[in-house]
């Protein structure tokens, strides 16, 4: 990965880099990579919309999540268009353990629940961009160009999530950020039985 593709703040935020075993698996499975990437964009838009419906009195959250949802849906459309051009049909695939592995640690009571959901969102967004950057040097020109636009447009989304978390928390969020960082690192670096956009190290690697 060329670090100059990524904001320094993003690389400093993530607890580890993507293992090369995942990169190799991704390059050998473009079809599943693109299908799951499309699903990730759709899920990101859905998460933003869910936050808007649940926290209707949070003006800054409503504005940022509305902007994010529109952007993620546009990227979903763009991924599906690229898939169609490559003869890849969009279909449902099972979710990876990554997002659920983070969300199972979200607190139930407010405002802890909101803070944790926002921190989890920050990690998912940051990891997505880091993985785009990992793949770019190995991709064909069309896909590499598209992923560069994603890194540029989505590279600050994680900061939007963190800023909202800090704004709405009634105490510093550093400990929760560090906690979820450890969970995220374990999910990324441990063996995974199936390949997905956010999966860990391929079990056969």
């Amino acid at each position: 990965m060329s670090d100059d593709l990524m904001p320094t703040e993003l690389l400093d935020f993530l607890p580890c880099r993507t293992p090369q075993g995942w990169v190799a698996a991704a390059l050998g499975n473009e079809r599943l990579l693109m299908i799951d990437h499309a699903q990730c964009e759709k899920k990101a838009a859905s998460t933003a919309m869910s936050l808007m419906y649940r926290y209707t009195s949070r003006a800054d959250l409503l504005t940022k999540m509305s902007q994010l949802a529109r952007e993620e849906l546009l990227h979903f459309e763009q991924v599906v268009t690229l898939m169609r051009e490559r003869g890849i049909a969009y279909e449902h695939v099972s979710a990876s353990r990554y997002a659920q592995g983070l969300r199972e640690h979200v607190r139930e009571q407010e405002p802890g629940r909101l803070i944790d959901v926002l921190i989890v969102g920050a990690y998912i967004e940051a990891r997505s961009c880091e993985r785009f950057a990992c793949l770019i040097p190995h991709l064909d020109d069309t896909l590499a160009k598209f992923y560069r636009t994603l890194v540029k447009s989505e590279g600050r989304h994680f900061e939007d999530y963190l800023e909202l978390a800090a704004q709405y928390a009634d105490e510093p969020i550093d400990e929760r950020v560090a906690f979820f960082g450890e969970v995220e690192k374990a999910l990324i670096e441990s063996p995974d039985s199936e390949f997905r956009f956010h999966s860990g190290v391929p079990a056969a690697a």
Side-chain angles (χ1 to χ4, degrees):
M1 178 179 68
S2 298
D3 285 359
D4 57 359
L5 293 171
M6 304 293 296
T8 301
E9 296 84 355
L10 188 151
L11 292 175
D12 290 343
F13 172 65
L14 288 173
C16 65
R17 302 294 181 90
T18 287
Q20 284 303 305
W22 180 89
V23 176
L27 297 175
N29 202 339
E30 179 181 284
R31 174 184 167 277
L32 189 52
L33 173 73
M34 296 193 72
I35 292 173
D36 199 43
H37 175 193
Q39 287 200 167
C40 288
E41 298 288 357
K42 187 168 61 172
K43 288 175 184 175
S46 176
T47 296
M49 291 292 292
S50 295
L51 286 167
M52 291 173 64
Y53 277 106
R54 187 178 183 98
Y55 301 100
T56 55
S57 64
R58 312 278 192 173
D60 290 340
L61 181 148
L62 292 175
T63 298
K64 287 190 176 182
M65 291 300 106
S66 176
Q67 294 168 347
L68 190 145
R70 290 197 302 272
E71 190 171 346
E72 302 287 11
L73 283 175
L74 174 60
H75 294 160
F76 169 75
E77 295 170 11
Q78 292 171 331
V79 177
V80 172
T81 297
L82 281 171
M83 288 168 56
R84 186 182 305 119
E85 293 171 354
R86 292 162 186 255
I88 301 172
Y90 178 67
E91 60 188 63
H92 175 74
V93 296
S94 60
S96 71
R97 63 193 174 98
Y98 177 78
Q100 182 56 39
L102 288 167
R103 288 174 180 145
E104 68 183 23
H105 298 284
V106 169
R107 290 169 287 183
E108 295 184 0
Q109 300 300 314
E110 300 290 0
R113 183 185 188 280
L114 172 59
I115 306 313
D116 287 355
V117 168
L118 291 169
I119 292 171
V120 166
Y123 276 109
I124 293 174
E125 291 287 335
R127 182 59 65 186
S128 296
C129 282
E130 189 258 356
R131 294 215 150 166
F132 294 144
C134 284
L135 293 170
I136 286 169
H138 309 287
L139 299 174
D140 61 79
D141 290 346
T142 300
L143 200 51
K145 180 179 180 181
F146 175 55
Y147 276 15
R148 283 193 188 94
T149 66
L150 294 184
V151 170
K152 183 177 181 180
S153 63
E154 296 191 2
R156 301 294 179 182
H157 283 180
F158 84 100
E159 291 183 321
D160 290 336
Y161 275 106
L162 288 179
E163 287 170 3
L164 289 171
Q167 177 179 338
Y168 296 132
D170 53 14
E171 60 185 5
I173 65 171
D174 296 6
E175 287 189 9
R176 292 305 287 174
V177 170
F179 169 78
F180 279 106
E182 289 300 312
V183 175
E184 206 265 353
K185 184 175 188 290
L187 290 165
I188 292 298
E189 293 186 336
S190 59
D192 219 329
S193 59
E194 58 183 6
F195 170 78
R196 293 290 187 270
F197 189 80
H198 287 109
S199 57
V201 179

